[in-house]
Amino acid sequence: MSSLVRRSVRTRPRAVTGLALFLAALVVGPPAHAAGVKGASLRVMTYNLQAGAGVDHVFDLERQARAIEAQHPDVVGLEEVDVNWGTRSDYVDEASWLARRLHMRVFFAPIYTLPPDRAGAPDREFGVAVLSRFPIIQAENHEITRLSTQVPNPVPAPAPGFPEVLIKARGTRIWVYDTHLDYRSDPSVRRAQVADMAAIMDRRHGPKLLLGDFNAEPDAPELAPLWTRLSDALTVAGQRTTPTFPADVPVTRIDYITFTPGPRVTRAFVPDTLASDHRPVVADLKGIR
């Protein structure tokens, strides 16, 4: 294993839904490699981890690490990530553990930060993360509309958990976003979340990736505003309806790799793995500029 570099990346706070939010980024990984030629080619992956548990509901983060490692991704968006959360994941900092195990850098964006349930322990956190084989230049955790699962009688309100990560891949700067949209049957919160994400992404120029668990099929009306800005890798590859959930007998397509127009999709597919309750999505994107 190569030596690890651990540092914080600080970014200027930006107003989101009326409230500026800033969180330090934890970047774990090997020293930066020299930049190559312009026009990056990337293998991108998105994977909902179910907090480290497989279809069998057994916590086994190594099993998920192997599922990721088998695809040799350059960038990974992770959803349902526990950091010191509780007994269900053995109080593991899953974001940092996976970064070290896979020799990648990481930015973890908590959705929930709660007090510890053990004396002297760190805060309990749950959220999403971006892993990168390339240097992370800056990162920020934005707020979008959420309906909390941690408080009684929640109402839609701004909450964190939408990371914006700038990486430099083979000389090309790429904005990477990851998201976990609301799971409820009522699409109103997802509709608000899509509007919030679009407003955040529209502030940036240059190539962008939006990865994650959208909890909606591609033709869901609430996702329509995304398709005016982004292309869906599986759709471009002719696999628009390839299901991703549940992993053992998938029947619905809710996991996505999307990108701003420009790159060519040379391959996109859904690996067959039971390491989580979702199947991951993988795409090879060529010529990102």
Side-chain angles (χ1 to χ4, degrees):
M1 181 181 294
S2 60
S3 61
L4 297 176
V5 176
R6 186 182 183 99
R7 64 189 178 90
S8 292
V9 175
R10 296 190 177 274
T11 58
R12 181 180 300 176
R14 304 181 67 86
V16 182
T17 57
L19 176 66
L21 176 69
F22 161 75
L23 283 175
L26 172 66
V27 179
V28 183
H33 298 295
V37 296
K38 289 279 186 178
S41 296
L42 292 180
R43 171 159 282 198
V44 183
M45 184 175 189
T46 185
Y47 201 11
N48 183 316
L49 298 181
Q50 195 184 208
V55 168
D56 56 8
H57 302 290
V58 174
F59 175 71
D60 188 347
L61 202 56
E62 172 60 26
R63 178 171 52 179
Q64 295 184 344
R66 291 196 301 268
I68 296 170
E69 187 175 47
Q71 304 305 328
H72 308 287
D74 296 307
V75 177
V76 186
L78 301 174
E79 301 82 53
E80 296 193 17
V81 181
D82 277 2
V83 170
N84 310 310
W85 182 262
T87 56
R88 72 181 184 189
S89 49
D90 290 345
Y91 293 95
V92 172
D93 179 343
E94 295 182 338
S96 296
W97 189 94
L98 285 168
R100 290 185 170 87
R101 169 64 176 78
L102 298 168
H103 307 278
M104 300 178 81
R105 300 160 182 83
V106 66
F107 177 73
F108 172 66
I111 297 171
Y112 303 120
T113 300
L114 303 178
D117 60 2
R118 302 176 298 163
D123 286 342
R124 304 166 58 234
E125 295 184 301
F126 172 86
V128 301
V130 172
L131 294 170
S132 173
R133 203 165 299 284
F134 299 101
I136 292 177
I137 299 171
Q138 66 185 67
E140 185 171 351
N141 186 5
H142 289 280
E143 290 186 331
I144 61 174
T145 301
R146 294 197 182 278
L147 191 60
S148 176
T149 63
Q150 302 299 307
V151 298
N153 304 314
V155 296
F162 184 55
E164 177 182 69
V165 178
L166 180 62
I167 67 170
K168 188 172 184 181
R170 302 186 179 96
T172 301
R173 294 189 173 207
I174 303 167
W175 295 99
V176 182
Y177 303 83
D178 189 77
T179 195
H180 190 185
L181 300 187
D182 193 76
Y183 66 90
R184 296 164 178 89
S185 59
D186 181 352
S188 60
V189 174
R190 285 192 299 278
R191 187 178 303 115
Q193 291 175 324
V194 166
D196 293 342
M197 294 189 305
I200 292 166
M201 291 188 293
D202 285 350
R203 298 171 185 164
R204 299 298 190 182
H205 299 287
K208 305 179 186 76
L209 304 172
L210 173 63
L211 318 173
D213 176 357
F214 292 5
N215 269 311
E217 294 272 6
D219 59 355
E222 64 268 28
L223 299 187
L226 294 178
W227 309 139
T228 66
R229 298 167 169 82
L230 302 167
S231 298
D232 168 47
L234 284 176
T235 296
V236 172
Q239 299 186 56
R240 179 180 178 84
T241 59
T242 302
T244 61
F245 179 84
D248 50 350
V249 186
V251 295
T252 185
R253 162 87 189 288
I254 58 176
D255 300 279
Y256 294 81
I257 292 172
T258 71
F259 55 93
T260 45
R264 181 163 60 95
V265 180
T266 58
R267 187 185 182 199
F269 60 99
V270 176
D272 183 356
T273 173
L274 303 181
S276 176
D277 64 337
H278 288 242
R279 293 188 180 188
V281 180
V282 180
D284 293 327
L285 306 180
K286 185 173 184 180
I288 303 176
R289 295 181 180 273

